[in-house]
Amino acid sequence: MATFADRLDEALKLKGWSARQAQREMKRTHPDLAITHAYISGLRRGKHTNPSTEVVTALAQLFDVSVSWLLGEDPRPPQLSEEDQQRQQQVREGLAALGVQNIAERMVGLSPLSLEAIEKMVEAMRRAEQLDSEADDQ
């Protein structure tokens, strides 16, 4: 059976987040909950083994998983296909290369349909602002 540390590590990897990125998101989504990236890292490594119910609940909400899954009680949730994972990684890398790391981090975990919609919106905005020539579209 998976441990809390195993599941937290898996959730972080699925989001593509470091403990620091998770802490930033926690601060944004749960400003009343003081949690450090070092504490999240300790939970991930199994160094800290007794998080409060409030912390477990907040982490489950952050990763959009059930508390019981995070605690190792439920089976693994379905994962994205290898192709969809590669597409997400390409989008993140492309956005990061353009200097929009924060946006790239926020896109982690979005469905392929959402990623495609974002890509189409960006292309439409570039065309509207005439940033791409006709030759670039071909």
Side-chain angles (χ1 to χ4, degrees):
M1 182 159 88
T3 66
F4 176 80
D6 294 335
R7 290 291 173 85
L8 180 58
D9 182 59
E10 183 176 345
L12 285 162
K13 286 178 181 174
L14 286 172
K15 287 279 192 181
W17 288 352
S18 65
R20 188 174 302 275
Q21 289 166 311
Q23 184 270 333
R24 275 189 251 140
E25 277 301 302
M26 279 288 259
K27 186 176 182 179
R28 188 183 66 77
T29 59
H30 297 82
D32 55 319
L33 185 61
I35 188 168
T36 66
H37 70 277
Y39 183 68
I40 293 172
S41 183
L43 288 170
R44 180 184 205 173
R45 292 188 326 265
K47 180 180 175 184
H48 302 294
T49 57
N50 195 20
S52 70
T53 302
E54 186 178 26
V55 168
V56 173
T57 301
L59 287 168
Q61 290 170 353
L62 183 68
F63 293 110
D64 196 27
V65 297
S66 68
V67 169
S68 59
W69 179 84
L70 193 56
L71 293 174
E73 298 166 358
D74 288 347
R76 286 191 161 89
Q79 295 186 7
L80 293 176
S81 69
E82 183 67 30
E83 180 182 325
D84 288 339
Q85 288 177 22
Q86 288 175 352
R87 180 179 167 94
Q88 280 190 350
Q89 184 62 32
Q90 288 171 341
V91 170
R92 282 194 303 272
E93 288 170 2
L95 288 171
L98 293 172
V100 288
Q101 183 65 36
N102 187 41
I103 293 171
E105 288 174 4
R106 298 283 298 137
M107 289 177 60
V108 173
L110 291 178
S111 70
L113 183 62
S114 294
L115 292 173
E116 185 177 341
I118 290 168
E119 185 178 350
K120 287 180 180 180
M121 285 188 283
V122 170
E123 291 304 317
M125 287 182 263
R126 291 189 61 80
R127 282 191 301 275
E129 295 186 18
Q130 300 177 346
L131 295 174
D132 296 321
S133 69
E134 294 276 330
D136 291 343
D137 290 339
Q138 298 176 4

